Amino acid sequence: QIFQPLHTLRAAEKELLPGFHQFEWQPALKNVSSSSNVGIINGLSGWVSSVDDSPADTITRRFRYDVALVSALKDLEEDIMEGLRESGMEDSACTSGFSVMIKECCDGMGDVSEKHGGGPVVPEKAVRFSFTVMSISVLADDEVEEVTIFTEPKPNSELSCKPLCLMFVDESDRETLTAVLGPIVAERNAMKESRLILSIGGLPRSFRFHFRGTGYDEKMVREMEGLEASGSTYICTLCDSSRAEASQNMVLHSITRSHEENLERYEIWRTNPFSESVDELRDRVKGISAKPFMETQPTLDALHCDIGNATEFYKIFQDEIGEVYKKVSPSREERRSWRAALDKQLRKKMKLKPIMRMNGNYARRLMTLEAVEVVCELVPSEERREALTELMRLYLQMKPVWRATCPAKECPDQLCRYSFNSQRFADLLSSTFKYRYNGKITNYLHKTLAHVPEIIERDGSIGAWASEGNESANKLFRRFRKMNARQSKAFELEDVLK
């Protein structure tokens, strides 16, 4: 397969890459060219710079959004036909009424610079934007209920996560990021108003697309939605709670933020219609101080939730080893010695090497009853040991609910008990561990306790909509970039996109 002359490979590649299949939009997409044979384009094309804009000096390559979606649907052609047959909808009957649910992910990647030794280290960062076809359903002409004919079985695999745009940009550089993603947002908005006509199974069929930006970590959501950064007193991207409120009332919050509201609040921030002081104004707009740029779906990012909570438990473990609940304010040396003791114990008993920043694998190993037992060997008081074990037990009851792809099927009991468990968990934190939660609480802990049931009620799952697919594809990006890409910068991203 692999060792074939280049031209045969090129020919095979042509059919698999976006830009091969014919399609049309009704009505035609606004501000998007009508040609359908578009391959890889420069990520800056479609971005109109005004006179005073500095040109974005970055390399970026992408597919046109509609062309990429067509290619993804053609990949699923057999599944769609199979789904139609299984639900007893005859081929000819179903040509219109398809709707496609798309999950969007976008994630920045740290250091992706060339590792070739000499010279100064240039900080080179990349951002990848990708999408996953989550489900396809069809509403037959004479029916009332939509029938789902395709559901992505592995929504978090890098295989179902299609790259749309790669850019060498630092995700914190909001100007460049918005410049590069601007055309994508414009195309996405145009597609919302229109229907795609595409031949599937030999018949032209019409598709509508629904986009849900859920594969963003909190940093990216805050950037896209114009919120202050994550250290802000406005702790949550789903509700207006402040950090102090969230630590007082840990469980009872409901989702209030939305993209539209964020836009309205930004207008208030910009115009200050009531001539308030900065503090009053900031309180009125609840920390929206930049223009929301891209609509994201307010949800909880399961992967980073795991990592955030594991970091928090790691710190609780240290505090419990040092019996902080008795002390006033321990010195840095003391803290350092507890941390060293914890790391040594975890390394000895659990084979867990200390790491600089918490990652997914470490988090999974740390958040187990086994790890708590190991830590408890260093905790002097019996009742503190019991409290720690109970805390972890409750957490392990809660975790499957936001990790599972389909919690109602995979862990129905935990789902039913979630609110009860989170209430117990919060009670423990605010009594036994109140030295840590006096007026403060971490962002992800707040979301874990307060918002999970509501999101699941709305979306049916948190895990399925997480950013894992994109995160694991980042690994591939690094790999392809190092090994399979031609060595010129301009080509490199194209090779990786393929």
Side-chain angles (χ1 to χ4, degrees):
Q1 272 300 308
I2 301 171
F3 300 108
Q4 286 183 342
L6 205 54
H7 60 92
T8 17
L9 280 176
R10 284 272 151 78
E13 205 174 59
K14 265 200 188 76
E15 296 186 29
L16 293 170
L17 276 173
F20 180 74
H21 304 286
Q22 291 297 307
F23 61 88
E24 67 166 312
W25 287 90
Q26 286 177 349
L29 296 186
K30 292 190 197 72
N31 306 332
V32 178
S33 106
S34 61
S35 64
S36 63
N37 54 347
V38 188
I40 294 174
I41 56 179
N42 180 347
L44 292 170
S45 69
W47 175 57
V48 188
S49 58
S50 63
V51 181
D52 52 353
D53 275 343
S54 56
D57 57 337
T58 175
I59 298 172
T60 153
R61 292 285 180 270
R62 70 183 184 96
F63 297 120
R64 213 173 69 191
Y65 208 156
D66 59 332
V67 179
L69 286 173
V70 165
S71 177
L73 284 181
K74 286 301 262 188
D75 281 350
L76 293 172
E77 187 163 15
E78 289 167 23
D79 297 295
I80 295 173
M81 298 315 295
E82 180 72 16
L84 282 176
R85 279 194 294 278
E86 278 178 11
S87 53
M89 304 209 187
E90 276 323 295
D91 269 2
S92 51
C94 270
T95 51
S96 63
F98 288 84
S99 44
V100 185
M101 191 53 104
I102 300 290
K103 162 169 89 170
E104 298 180 321
C105 301
C106 185
D107 183 35
M109 296 158 57
D111 177 35
V112 290
S113 54
E114 298 290 353
K115 295 276 183 287
H116 284 314
V121 182
V122 276
E124 211 176 67
K125 301 184 186 288
V127 173
R128 297 177 4 105
F129 185 95
S130 56
F131 67 91
T132 303
V133 178
M134 294 292 281
S135 64
I136 301 174
S137 54
V138 62
L139 181 60
D141 301 333
D142 41 3
E143 299 292 321
V144 192
E145 285 281 287
E146 274 198 324
V147 180
T148 303
I149 54 171
F150 167 78
T151 306
E152 174 53 57
K154 294 206 183 85
N156 283 323
S157 149
E158 60 266 42
L159 298 174
S160 61
C161 185
K162 320 255 177 212
L164 182 69
C165 178
L166 302 175
M167 40 200 152
F168 286 123
V169 175
D170 180 350
E171 62 174 327
S172 313
D173 172 4
R174 192 155 188 271
E175 281 71 20
T176 316
L177 188 68
T178 49
V180 177
L181 290 178
I184 290 181
V185 176
E187 284 165 24
R188 170 204 209 206
N189 289 340
M191 287 188 288
K192 284 183 191 167
E193 310 299 315
S194 178
R195 296 176 315 148
L196 170 73
I197 311 294
L198 173 68
S199 148
I200 292 278
L203 290 172
R205 305 178 193 262
S206 97
F207 295 87
R208 280 190 177 282
F209 290 93
H210 307 275
F211 299 95
R212 301 195 50 205
T214 57
Y216 304 106
D217 57 16
E218 177 160 326
K219 182 179 175 193
M220 189 69 89
V221 168
R222 286 176 176 269
E223 215 158 286
M224 300 273 196
E225 291 283 12
L227 271 100
E228 299 167 345
S230 50
S232 158
T233 40
Y234 296 99
I235 176 175
C236 188
T237 51
L238 296 101
C239 70
D240 294 338
S241 169
S242 71
R243 203 171 291 278
E245 287 163 22
S247 71
Q248 286 309 302
N249 160 16
M250 289 188 177
V251 183
L252 303 167
H253 294 274
S254 58
I255 298 174
T256 53
R257 291 190 191 266
S258 70
H259 186 65
E260 284 68 42
E261 185 195 55
N262 293 346
L263 281 165
E264 286 162 21
R265 285 181 166 175
Y266 169 69
E267 276 308 301
I268 292 176
W269 172 260
R270 199 177 61 83
T271 53
N272 192 0
F274 307 104
S275 316
E276 293 165 306
S277 72
V278 172
D279 291 339
E280 293 168 316
L281 183 60
R282 184 169 164 250
D283 186 54
R284 178 181 293 277
V285 298
K286 302 293 179 206
I288 302 281
S289 52
K291 186 170 177 154
F293 161 70
M294 185 180 222
E295 182 175 358
T296 63
Q297 183 77 14
T299 178
L300 179 152
D301 173 33
L303 173 72
H304 290 93
C305 186
D306 246 13
I307 292 172
N309 291 336
T311 311
E312 187 56 21
F313 265 83
Y314 182 78
K315 289 181 176 158
I316 291 178
F317 290 160
Q318 287 178 53
D319 288 351
E320 286 301 312
I321 290 172
E323 301 192 283
V324 175
Y325 64 98
K326 290 182 183 168
K327 298 189 172 62
V328 191
S329 51
S331 68
R332 286 181 58 182
E333 272 60 49
E334 285 182 277
R335 285 194 178 282
R336 214 167 278 150
S337 70
W338 306 334
R339 180 170 181 175
L342 174 62
D343 280 341
K344 186 177 167 191
Q345 179 79 337
L346 288 172
R347 171 176 267 174
K348 195 170 78 187
K349 297 279 170 77
M350 302 268 307
K351 307 262 184 297
L352 267 180
K353 282 195 193 64
I355 46 173
M356 284 265 294
R357 272 179 35 213
M358 182 71 69
N359 62 36
N361 292 334
Y362 191 96
R364 275 183 274 279
R365 298 278 315 281
L366 185 69
M367 304 308 273
T368 54
L369 283 173
E370 183 194 1
V372 170
E373 275 172 29
V374 166
V375 173
C376 281
E377 293 175 20
L378 302 177
V379 175
S381 125
E382 177 61 40
E383 63 181 305
R384 304 301 293 183
R385 289 197 291 249
E386 276 170 22
L388 264 184
T389 314
E390 173 68 357
L391 201 60
M392 182 63 84
R393 233 177 33 71
L394 287 168
Y395 183 80
L396 291 173
Q397 282 289 305
M398 289 152 62
K399 178 175 152 177
V401 177
W402 38 264
R403 290 304 281 180
T405 301
C406 178
K409 279 218 264 313
E410 294 169 52
C411 52
D413 305 349
Q414 280 111 320
L415 180 58
C416 291
R417 292 179 53 92
Y418 194 92
S419 298
F420 178 73
N421 284 336
S422 62
Q423 183 65 60
R424 294 267 312 272
F425 191 88
D427 291 344
L428 253 177
L429 292 187
S430 47
S431 56
T432 315
F433 298 94
K434 70 167 175 288
Y435 65 86
R436 261 199 90 75
Y437 297 99
N438 196 0
K440 59 184 203 286
I441 185 171
T442 63
N443 303 10
Y444 277 116
L445 201 48
H446 155 76
K447 290 179 185 176
T448 311
L449 293 173
H451 294 301
V452 169
E454 190 179 356
I455 300 173
I456 290 205
E457 208 164 303
R458 183 192 66 193
D459 300 343
S461 167
I462 291 178
W465 294 97
S467 58
E468 239 122 341
N470 200 35
E471 292 271 358
S472 46
N474 284 347
K475 207 157 54 192
L476 295 179
F477 173 91
R478 280 208 162 78
R479 184 100 157 256
F480 288 144
R481 191 181 140 143
K482 297 259 184 292
M483 337 237 282
N484 307 34
R486 286 167 287 186
Q487 289 306 304
S488 114
K489 279 277 187 290
F491 272 130
E492 197 170 33
L493 282 183
E494 300 185 14
D495 289 337
V496 177
L497 248 192
K498 289 176 180 176

